[in-house]
Amino acid sequence: MAEYAHAHGVVVEGELGQLAGIEDDVNVSAADVAYTNPDQVEEFVKRTGVDSLADAIGIPEYMLREAAKSAVCKINIDSDLRLASRRGRKSIGKRSICI
């Protein structure tokens, strides 16, 4: 997939591991969490050809702030926003709305 994407000028991000929570229609329980194993990263990147790696480690906010000040080029905060949005939509869906 990465080879095809690169041939068309597209940058590819891969993800190694998974955190607990809900994203789109994927629901990962706490029992199924698989944090990124640092010993697997180099081989994963070589085998997949990805340009960047989304690791599954659950980063504390202070570390995100430090990363933002350094050479880190991308920080995802989307999962928390999606969870809040989903809860809001479910809450609204349970009530009738009169306009």
Side-chain angles (χ1 to χ4, degrees):
M1 180 184 292
E3 187 176 320
Y4 178 84
H6 292 151
H8 293 85
V10 177
V11 175
V12 179
E13 178 181 83
E15 185 169 3
L16 184 59
Q18 58 185 6
L19 296 174
I22 301 169
E23 186 172 343
D24 297 326
D25 292 330
V26 178
N27 187 348
V28 178
S29 71
D32 293 326
V33 167
Y35 294 113
T36 300
N37 180 339
D39 296 331
Q40 297 173 336
V41 170
E42 186 175 356
E43 180 182 355
F44 177 81
V45 172
K46 284 180 182 177
R47 292 183 69 182
T48 61
V50 297
D51 301 299
S52 64
L53 178 67
D55 54 14
I57 57 173
I59 302 173
E61 184 177 342
Y62 76 91
M63 291 180 79
L64 290 174
R65 293 182 189 279
E66 287 301 312
K69 294 176 185 174
S70 66
V72 173
C73 62
K74 179 181 176 197
I75 300 172
N76 289 338
I77 57 168
D78 184 56
S79 295
D80 290 334
L81 297 174
R82 283 184 195 225
L83 290 171
S85 174
R86 185 180 183 126
R87 282 191 299 269
R89 288 192 312 270
K90 281 185 176 182
S91 173
I92 290 172
K94 293 178 182 177
R95 297 181 264 145
S96 60
I97 300 173
C98 298
I99 298 177

